[in-house]
Amino acid sequence: MKDQSFEIKIADLLNQVAVDELVFENKHTNFIPNLGKDWISGKIRLSWIDDENVLVEIEELSCELNEICDYCTKGFPRKIEVHGYCSRFTLNKEEKDYANDEVLFFIDEKNATINIEEMVYQAIQLENPFVLYCPECASNHLVSPSEDDFDEIDNESRWNITFH
């Protein structure tokens, strides 16, 4: 059965200076339709900042995505590993001072819980390359040309800009 609950009870963390670690396995999210059969597993650290804020850091996160190669259009599994992604969860829904365009998540004040599903989704999305290549296409030098490939290119400048 799919475990889709990313909710974490943090009432004790808001009331005292503390750090807590949490390990989760086989979590599923509808945000990622191409999630592999092992779903999402990881380890997070929750740290008290003050009476209204908690820092959540993804220490380890792994999953597999079923992808399609942009070059050969074959399906292939792609392993995702995330380390060190963190976000702040706050009780202050009025907070306007987002330092460095910080993305804030909110604490459910009534239940004293946080939901890390969107944070996990964002961390996984940041691991997406601009172009997806299967291992076969990547190993055939389609991703990055070797230095030998540059030797074949005429060294004459192709630019129409002249510097004086």
Side-chain angles (χ1 to χ4, degrees):
M1 186 164 143
K2 295 179 182 178
D3 182 1
Q4 293 185 279
S5 176
F6 281 88
E7 266 189 18
I8 303 168
K9 194 117 175 112
I10 60 161
D12 58 333
L13 197 60
L14 287 172
N15 296 325
Q16 61 185 348
V17 177
V19 175
D20 200 1
E21 287 190 348
L22 179 69
V23 175
F24 59 92
E25 293 181 339
N26 301 323
K27 295 286 188 179
H28 185 270
T29 177
N30 289 331
F31 289 155
I32 306 173
N34 59 331
L35 195 56
K37 63 179 170 134
D38 291 334
W39 301 321
I40 304 169
S41 296
K43 181 168 95 172
I44 61 169
R45 177 187 303 266
L46 303 137
S47 303
W48 179 89
I49 297 174
D50 58 33
D51 293 342
E52 293 187 338
N53 297 283
V54 173
L55 183 69
V56 179
E57 179 182 2
I58 297 173
E59 291 184 340
E60 300 171 16
L61 183 136
S62 63
C63 66
E64 191 173 89
L65 302 180
N66 298 315
E67 303 283 16
I68 296 177
C69 178
D70 288 334
Y71 187 76
C72 70
T73 67
K74 291 181 185 171
F76 68 99
R78 183 170 65 95
K79 186 82 171 154
I80 301 285
E81 297 281 335
V82 177
H83 302 280
Y85 183 88
C86 61
S87 294
R88 182 164 56 110
F89 286 75
T90 186
L91 283 170
N92 188 353
K93 298 200 185 308
E94 307 273 324
E95 186 163 345
K96 304 264 190 272
D97 184 26
Y98 298 157
N100 303 320
D101 297 324
E102 179 182 23
V103 176
L104 292 178
F105 296 98
F106 296 104
I107 298 169
D108 179 351
E109 190 171 4
K110 180 181 175 187
N111 299 315
T113 60
I114 59 173
N115 188 332
I116 64 166
E117 183 175 16
E118 189 175 340
M119 177 191 171
V120 167
Y121 168 74
Q122 288 180 6
I124 292 169
Q125 290 302 96
L126 285 173
E127 296 298 315
N128 284 340
F130 289 111
V131 180
L132 288 168
Y133 290 108
C134 67
E136 185 178 329
C137 289
S139 68
N140 288 332
H141 301 290
L142 294 174
V143 175
S144 58
S146 68
E147 288 188 26
D148 295 337
D149 295 334
F150 288 111
D151 292 340
E152 298 171 10
I153 299 173
D154 186 357
N155 289 331
E156 183 180 318
S157 175
R158 302 277 186 222
W159 295 92
N160 59 3
I161 300 172
T162 307
F163 295 97
H164 298 280

